[in-house]
Amino acid sequence: MIADVYIELKEGVTDPEGESTKKALKLLGFENVKNVSTRKVFRIEIDENDRGKAEEEIVQMCEKLLANPVIQKYSIKWIS
Amino acid sequence: MQKGEMQKEEIQESRIQEDIKIAVLRIEGTNCEDETVRAFRELGVFAEAIHLKQLYSDMIRDDEKRRLADYSGIVFPGGFSAGDYVRAGAIFSARVKSVLRKDLEDFIMNDYPILGICNGFQILVELGALPGFDEDRPLAETPEMVLAINNSNRFECRQSLLKHENKGKCIFTKNLGEQIVMFPVAHAEGKVTFPASAEKAYLERLIDNDQMVFRYVNEDGEYAGYPWNPNGSVYNIAGICNVKGNVFGLMPHPERAFFAWNHLDYPRNEIDDYGEGRLIFQSMIDYIRKLK
């Protein structure tokens, strides 16, 4: 099975990468840009047929390495 | 190398005492281990950079195997361990946790000191060793703070002024008074951030427990914003220690302010052979001497 794991900043946390990207886009003339925020995506292929079990395992991965709960949250999107 | 320099190196090597052994832990991407080892050796104690694998892998030659328990101090050096992938320090920390968690907890509980500089601070934070509020659980289950991307979204690389605010808990700054020191910073992820809902409570705990060590100030010694605070750290925090005072992390680099000639004003301002960074390493050694 393959999952896309999205790591993003919690609401209210400053996103300096998003902010400076927005600034650069505006400079390039994209006046309509209202907001830019960043995420990181890990595509994880996992050797497991039970989606429930696979999801549990991915949650563990997020808690143990992929996300720092102080400022980040995660979500999982199944690709196959 | 010139003859004079070679002799100096030899003299230095001959006065190194092996009663104190310091391990500077490296993996791929750490890059400040040599200066850090040099700092300790200059002060007459044995220090070596060892790869994390030397502590656990069975693929290591016998003469290269090491045990954490043989050392009386550990340093996580600066650099970009594992390319700063995932988050700065996250991969180094995950590898330490998977193989050395118990050893490291024992090390801290047995009062031995651990220093984390820059990327090393990030590793200690990801390990849950800092802020380290719980004396009985020196590594928290999940991280309680983060060193987030600088507000400027830039790699901030220059001198910083730090006010020493510890009142005696931190064993790494015992040789410092209420003074301002200048150590360089070089990082893109150094903004001390606590969980939004607990920020006030965490700050109060850090102050009450005397865990606050260094805060960024301007040239008048006042807490100031960017560029004096290079990253946007809450409360201008540059370095903190755990509740016992034997684990210390800071973003600026004391090993880059070790010799007088590291100083920006050298030689105009030369008063000593050493810079203020030496005091951090000397304090750590003094503490270990007393432990023994």
Side-chain angles (χ1 to χ4, degrees):
Chain A
M1 303 181 93
I2 297 174
D4 277 353
V5 182
Y6 287 78
I7 310 293
E8 59 193 287
L9 292 166
K10 287 180 174 173
E11 260 166 57
V13 176
T14 325
D15 184 350
E17 285 179 295
E19 287 298 321
S20 61
T21 309
K22 177 176 147 187
K23 214 187 274 177
L25 289 172
K26 293 244 182 200
L27 278 172
L28 286 170
F30 297 101
E31 293 292 332
N32 292 332
V33 175
K34 278 178 73 180
N35 206 7
V36 179
S37 62
T38 56
R39 291 125 180 72
K40 200 168 233 183
V41 188
F42 295 91
R43 177 158 293 184
I44 298 178
E45 191 174 347
I46 185 164
D47 196 7
E48 173 65 67
N49 296 322
D50 182 318
R51 179 158 292 187
K53 277 186 191 162
E55 186 143 340
E56 265 174 42
E57 214 170 322
I58 288 181
V59 165
Q60 284 297 311
M61 294 177 203
C62 292
E63 309 255 326
K64 287 194 169 156
L65 177 64
L66 304 180
N68 182 320
V70 175
I71 51 166
Q72 293 172 320
K73 57 183 181 178
Y74 55 85
S75 54
I76 302 163
K77 190 174 151 203
W78 287 99
I79 303 298
S80 70
Chain B
M1 194 184 285
Q2 287 179 349
K3 204 178 166 208
E5 280 179 51
M6 204 145 74
Q7 276 169 347
K8 199 179 168 201
E9 290 268 319
E10 278 165 16
I11 294 163
Q12 196 185 309
E13 290 295 316
S14 68
R15 64 179 173 80
I16 285 178
Q17 296 171 352
E18 299 224 354
D19 60 326
I20 292 178
K21 289 175 80 172
I22 307 287
V24 180
L25 292 183
R26 64 181 184 90
I27 64 167
E28 59 278 10
T30 52
N31 64 13
C32 296
E33 54 267 40
D34 290 349
E35 300 94 305
T36 310
V37 165
R38 170 99 193 259
F40 284 104
R41 296 181 83 94
E42 180 73 20
L43 296 174
V45 300
F46 177 84
E48 62 176 348
I50 58 168
H51 196 284
L52 189 64
K53 278 184 186 170
Q54 288 177 259
L55 295 169
Y56 68 87
S57 172
D58 53 8
M59 305 283 281
I60 298 293
R61 283 207 322 258
D62 279 350
D63 62 328
E64 292 190 335
K65 280 189 180 148
R66 298 288 187 274
R67 291 183 329 142
L68 217 49
D70 292 337
Y71 296 94
S72 35
I74 298 174
V75 185
F76 288 97
F80 301 84
S81 57
D84 275 356
Y85 299 148
V86 182
R87 282 178 313 285
I91 288 181
F92 198 158
S93 141
R95 280 167 63 177
V96 169
K97 268 195 274 191
S98 69
V99 287
L100 291 173
R101 187 187 181 106
K102 179 77 175 53
D103 291 352
L104 212 58
E105 282 189 318
D106 289 346
F107 199 86
I108 298 170
M109 287 178 58
N110 289 329
D111 302 330
Y112 289 108
I114 303 183
L115 170 64
I117 301 166
C118 194
N119 193 218
F121 185 15
Q122 293 161 337
I123 292 158
L124 291 175
V125 162
E126 287 288 334
L127 273 171
L130 288 172
F133 289 130
D134 188 349
E135 205 166 317
D136 300 320
R137 279 192 67 86
L139 301 185
E141 202 53 49
T142 52
E144 292 172 318
M145 63 180 275
V146 66
L147 289 156
I149 295 175
N150 298 344
N151 275 349
S152 64
N153 195 37
R154 288 186 191 145
F155 189 86
E156 299 287 346
C157 185
R158 59 192 138 79
Q159 299 292 334
S160 67
L161 292 170
L162 313 169
K163 191 169 175 194
H164 177 237
E165 301 214 336
N166 201 259
K167 296 180 176 66
K169 170 75 71 76
C170 179
I171 65 105
F172 300 84
T173 55
K174 290 266 194 210
N175 287 315
L176 268 79
E178 271 183 43
Q179 66 192 89
I180 292 170
V181 295
M182 186 163 80
F183 298 165
V185 288
H187 61 257
E189 293 171 62
K191 180 173 60 175
V192 171
T193 309
F194 299 115
S197 57
E199 186 179 287
K200 196 165 167 279
Y202 275 29
L203 285 173
E204 279 171 5
R205 273 173 96 173
L206 286 169
I207 295 163
D208 291 348
N209 293 343
D210 193 22
Q211 292 179 248
M212 208 61 85
V213 184
F214 283 125
R215 290 172 69 194
Y216 300 108
V217 291
N218 65 15
E219 55 191 343
D220 298 319
E222 297 157 344
Y223 309 114
Y226 190 82
W228 304 101
N229 175 348
N231 44 45
S233 270
V234 63
Y235 203 64
N236 281 39
I237 295 175
I240 55 168
C241 67
N242 69 345
V243 72
K244 275 176 75 133
N246 67 332
V247 178
F248 173 42
L250 76 169
M251 286 315 295
H253 287 266
E255 82 284 16
R256 296 187 193 175
F258 186 87
F259 293 102
W261 44 262
N262 288 135
H263 198 280
L264 208 60
D265 264 350
Y266 180 82
R268 263 179 299 168
N269 204 15
E270 192 184 2
I271 41 167
D272 191 352
D273 285 346
Y274 296 104
E276 291 154 331
R278 179 185 66 91
L279 298 171
I280 304 292
F281 301 95
Q282 189 63 58
S283 302
M284 184 172 169
I285 295 167
D286 292 349
Y287 169 79
I288 295 171
R289 286 241 156 82
K290 277 190 215 142
L291 262 188
K292 285 182 169 275

